[in-house]
Amino acid sequence: MLPSSILSLSEKIKLLPGIGTKSSQKMSIDLLQISDLDFKELILTLQNTRSKIRFCKNCGFFAEKNLCEICSSESRNPRQICIVEKVTDVISLEKSEIYKGTYHVLNRLISPLDNVFAQDTTINELVERISSLKKKNSPIELILFLKSSFSSDATVAYIKEVLKHKKLSVSITKMAQGLPLCYNPDTLDSATIVRALEDRRKA
Ligand SMILES: [Zn+2]
């Protein structure tokens, strides 16, 4: 019963993860009811943000320059690298305000059954990053903050194998203690993350 232009807007909004037909139709209708001025500003802000935002050359998090705020901050330890799957996992850990290292966003986890292989992730970039840090010859720690799954196990096994093959020795820890057996970074609260980070152990 809705006009076709509203239905096509709603289809576009459905491109966002986690938005179903009902929510996308509601958002379309709400968008059409804000003032012309607010609507224009919203479109401009969307365009500006989209054109300004890129991904950090070092870690893959959101940035407005070559490096993100975390990688360019002198108060962060570049030799401590927390491995996450998605940019939103960085936000989860940052909310805990305890972590002072840096990150590496893999974008995907290796999953041969879904045709996702190492080259579809940023593991190569991670290895290059570790190689160049190694030139300074002080210890490097990789902290695993990945949801429990076969794909994360396959990804970690691959990372370990490549590092071994390249003779890059790093300490690898995981945030296991205090976390539920099967966890997802998206659903953890800050207090649990703080405990898990403090009690991390060798992976
Ligand atoms: Zn960065």
Side-chain angles (χ1 to χ4, degrees), residues 104-128:
H104 194 87
V105 183
L106 294 171
N107 288 332
R108 312 281 300 270
L109 296 177
I110 295 176
S111 177
L113 289 178
D114 303 310
N115 273 325
V116 184
F117 300 97
Q119 65 267 28
D120 303 310
T121 72
T122 60
I123 294 177
N124 276 344
E125 286 85 344
L126 173 69
V127 174
E128 276 172 31

Short mmCIF file of all heavy atoms in Angstrom, two decimals, residues 104-128:
data_model
loop_
_atom_site.label_atom_id
_atom_site.label_comp_id
_atom_site.label_asym_id
_atom_site.label_seq_id
_atom_site.Cartn_x
_atom_site.Cartn_y
_atom_site.Cartn_z
N HIS A 104 44.55 -4.41 15.09
CA HIS A 104 44.63 -4.78 13.69
C HIS A 104 43.28 -5.38 13.30
O HIS A 104 42.87 -6.40 13.87
CB HIS A 104 45.77 -5.77 13.42
CG HIS A 104 46.06 -5.88 11.97
ND1 HIS A 104 46.92 -5.02 11.31
CD2 HIS A 104 45.53 -6.69 11.01
CE1 HIS A 104 46.92 -5.32 10.03
NE2 HIS A 104 46.09 -6.32 9.82
N VAL A 105 42.59 -4.74 12.35
CA VAL A 105 41.26 -5.20 11.94
C VAL A 105 41.43 -6.16 10.75
O VAL A 105 41.94 -5.78 9.70
CB VAL A 105 40.37 -4.01 11.52
CG1 VAL A 105 38.97 -4.50 11.15
CG2 VAL A 105 40.30 -2.96 12.63
N LEU A 106 40.98 -7.42 10.93
CA LEU A 106 41.17 -8.43 9.87
C LEU A 106 40.13 -8.32 8.75
O LEU A 106 40.31 -8.85 7.67
CB LEU A 106 41.08 -9.84 10.49
CG LEU A 106 42.20 -10.22 11.47
CD1 LEU A 106 41.86 -11.53 12.15
CD2 LEU A 106 43.54 -10.33 10.75
N ASN A 107 39.01 -7.67 9.04
CA ASN A 107 37.87 -7.54 8.10
C ASN A 107 37.09 -8.83 7.89
O ASN A 107 35.87 -8.84 7.88
CB ASN A 107 38.28 -7.00 6.73
CG ASN A 107 38.64 -5.54 6.81
OD1 ASN A 107 38.12 -4.82 7.66
ND2 ASN A 107 39.53 -5.09 5.95
N ARG A 108 37.77 -9.95 7.66
CA ARG A 108 37.12 -11.25 7.50
C ARG A 108 37.91 -12.27 8.32
O ARG A 108 39.07 -12.02 8.64
CB ARG A 108 37.15 -11.72 6.04
CG ARG A 108 36.74 -10.74 4.98
CD ARG A 108 35.24 -10.60 4.86
NE ARG A 108 34.53 -11.80 4.51
CZ ARG A 108 34.26 -12.21 3.27
NH1 ARG A 108 34.68 -11.50 2.25
NH2 ARG A 108 33.56 -13.30 3.05
N LEU A 109 37.31 -13.40 8.61
CA LEU A 109 38.03 -14.51 9.23
C LEU A 109 38.09 -15.62 8.19
O LEU A 109 37.13 -15.81 7.42
CB LEU A 109 37.29 -15.01 10.48
CG LEU A 109 37.19 -14.01 11.64
CD1 LEU A 109 36.39 -14.62 12.79
CD2 LEU A 109 38.57 -13.59 12.15
N ILE A 110 39.19 -16.36 8.19
CA ILE A 110 39.36 -17.43 7.19
C ILE A 110 38.24 -18.48 7.36
O ILE A 110 37.99 -18.94 8.47
CB ILE A 110 40.73 -18.12 7.35
CG1 ILE A 110 41.84 -17.10 7.02
CG2 ILE A 110 40.85 -19.35 6.46
CD1 ILE A 110 43.24 -17.64 7.23
N SER A 111 37.59 -18.79 6.26
CA SER A 111 36.52 -19.79 6.30
C SER A 111 36.42 -20.44 4.92
O SER A 111 35.65 -20.00 4.07
CB SER A 111 35.20 -19.09 6.68
OG SER A 111 34.16 -20.01 6.66
N PRO A 112 37.25 -21.50 4.69
CA PRO A 112 37.31 -22.10 3.35
C PRO A 112 35.94 -22.53 2.83
O PRO A 112 35.67 -22.42 1.63
CB PRO A 112 38.23 -23.31 3.55
CG PRO A 112 39.05 -22.96 4.75
CD PRO A 112 38.16 -22.13 5.63
N LEU A 113 35.05 -22.97 3.73
CA LEU A 113 33.72 -23.42 3.27
C LEU A 113 32.91 -22.27 2.67
O LEU A 113 32.04 -22.47 1.84
CB LEU A 113 32.93 -24.04 4.43
CG LEU A 113 33.42 -25.40 4.91
CD1 LEU A 113 32.59 -25.88 6.10
CD2 LEU A 113 33.36 -26.42 3.78
N ASP A 114 33.21 -21.03 3.14
CA ASP A 114 32.52 -19.86 2.58
C ASP A 114 33.39 -19.16 1.54
O ASP A 114 33.13 -17.99 1.21
CB ASP A 114 32.17 -18.86 3.70
CG ASP A 114 31.33 -19.51 4.78
OD1 ASP A 114 30.33 -20.14 4.43
OD2 ASP A 114 31.69 -19.38 5.98
N ASN A 115 34.43 -19.84 1.09
CA ASN A 115 35.35 -19.25 0.11
C ASN A 115 36.05 -18.00 0.62
O ASN A 115 36.30 -17.07 -0.13
CB ASN A 115 34.60 -18.89 -1.18
CG ASN A 115 34.57 -20.07 -2.11
OD1 ASN A 115 35.53 -20.85 -2.17
ND2 ASN A 115 33.45 -20.22 -2.81
N VAL A 116 36.35 -17.96 1.91
CA VAL A 116 37.12 -16.83 2.46
C VAL A 116 38.49 -17.38 2.85
O VAL A 116 38.59 -18.25 3.72
CB VAL A 116 36.43 -16.19 3.69
CG1 VAL A 116 37.23 -14.98 4.15
CG2 VAL A 116 35.00 -15.81 3.38
N PHE A 117 39.51 -16.85 2.17
CA PHE A 117 40.87 -17.33 2.41
C PHE A 117 41.74 -16.19 2.95
O PHE A 117 41.27 -15.06 3.05
CB PHE A 117 41.45 -17.91 1.11
CG PHE A 117 40.62 -19.06 0.59
CD1 PHE A 117 39.67 -18.85 -0.40
CD2 PHE A 117 40.77 -20.34 1.13
CE1 PHE A 117 38.88 -19.91 -0.86
CE2 PHE A 117 39.98 -21.40 0.67
CZ PHE A 117 39.04 -21.19 -0.31
N ALA A 118 43.01 -16.54 3.26
CA ALA A 118 43.88 -15.55 3.89
C ALA A 118 43.96 -14.24 3.10
O ALA A 118 43.99 -13.15 3.69
CB ALA A 118 45.27 -16.14 4.06
N GLN A 119 43.95 -14.36 1.76
CA GLN A 119 44.08 -13.13 0.95
C GLN A 119 42.85 -12.22 1.05
O GLN A 119 42.88 -11.06 0.64
CB GLN A 119 44.43 -13.44 -0.52
CG GLN A 119 43.37 -14.20 -1.28
CD GLN A 119 43.59 -15.71 -1.21
OE1 GLN A 119 44.16 -16.23 -0.27
NE2 GLN A 119 43.12 -16.43 -2.23
N ASP A 120 41.75 -12.75 1.58
CA ASP A 120 40.55 -11.93 1.75
C ASP A 120 40.58 -11.20 3.10
O ASP A 120 39.67 -10.43 3.42
CB ASP A 120 39.29 -12.80 1.69
CG ASP A 120 39.21 -13.56 0.38
OD1 ASP A 120 39.37 -12.92 -0.66
OD2 ASP A 120 39.02 -14.80 0.42
N THR A 121 41.60 -11.47 3.90
CA THR A 121 41.74 -10.81 5.20
C THR A 121 42.92 -9.84 5.12
O THR A 121 43.53 -9.70 4.05
CB THR A 121 42.06 -11.85 6.30
OG1 THR A 121 43.41 -12.30 6.10
CG2 THR A 121 41.14 -13.06 6.22
N THR A 122 43.26 -9.20 6.23
CA THR A 122 44.42 -8.29 6.21
C THR A 122 45.61 -8.93 6.93
O THR A 122 46.43 -8.23 7.50
CB THR A 122 44.07 -6.93 6.86
OG1 THR A 122 43.69 -7.21 8.23
CG2 THR A 122 42.93 -6.23 6.17
N ILE A 123 45.68 -10.27 6.87
CA ILE A 123 46.79 -10.96 7.56
C ILE A 123 48.15 -10.56 6.95
O ILE A 123 49.12 -10.35 7.67
CB ILE A 123 46.59 -12.49 7.55
CG1 ILE A 123 45.35 -12.84 8.37
CG2 ILE A 123 47.83 -13.21 8.09
CD1 ILE A 123 44.99 -14.31 8.41
N ASN A 124 48.20 -10.41 5.62
CA ASN A 124 49.48 -10.00 5.00
C ASN A 124 49.95 -8.68 5.56
O ASN A 124 51.13 -8.50 5.86
CB ASN A 124 49.32 -9.85 3.49
CG ASN A 124 49.48 -11.19 2.81
OD1 ASN A 124 49.99 -12.13 3.42
ND2 ASN A 124 49.02 -11.27 1.56
N GLU A 125 49.01 -7.73 5.67
CA GLU A 125 49.35 -6.41 6.21
C GLU A 125 49.83 -6.54 7.66
O GLU A 125 50.76 -5.85 8.09
CB GLU A 125 48.13 -5.47 6.16
CG GLU A 125 47.77 -4.97 4.77
CD GLU A 125 46.89 -5.95 3.98
OE1 GLU A 125 46.78 -7.14 4.36
OE2 GLU A 125 46.31 -5.51 2.97
N LEU A 126 49.21 -7.45 8.40
CA LEU A 126 49.61 -7.66 9.81
C LEU A 126 51.04 -8.17 9.87
O LEU A 126 51.86 -7.68 10.66
CB LEU A 126 48.66 -8.67 10.49
CG LEU A 126 49.06 -9.11 11.89
CD1 LEU A 126 48.93 -7.97 12.89
CD2 LEU A 126 48.20 -10.30 12.35
N VAL A 127 51.36 -9.12 9.00
CA VAL A 127 52.70 -9.71 9.01
C VAL A 127 53.74 -8.65 8.61
O VAL A 127 54.80 -8.53 9.22
CB VAL A 127 52.75 -10.95 8.08
CG1 VAL A 127 54.16 -11.48 7.95
CG2 VAL A 127 51.81 -12.03 8.60
N GLU A 128 53.39 -7.83 7.62
CA GLU A 128 54.31 -6.74 7.22
C GLU A 128 54.53 -5.77 8.38
O GLU A 128 55.64 -5.30 8.62
CB GLU A 128 53.73 -5.95 6.05
CG GLU A 128 54.02 -6.59 4.72
CD GLU A 128 53.26 -5.92 3.59
OE1 GLU A 128 53.01 -4.70 3.69
OE2 GLU A 128 52.89 -6.62 2.64
#
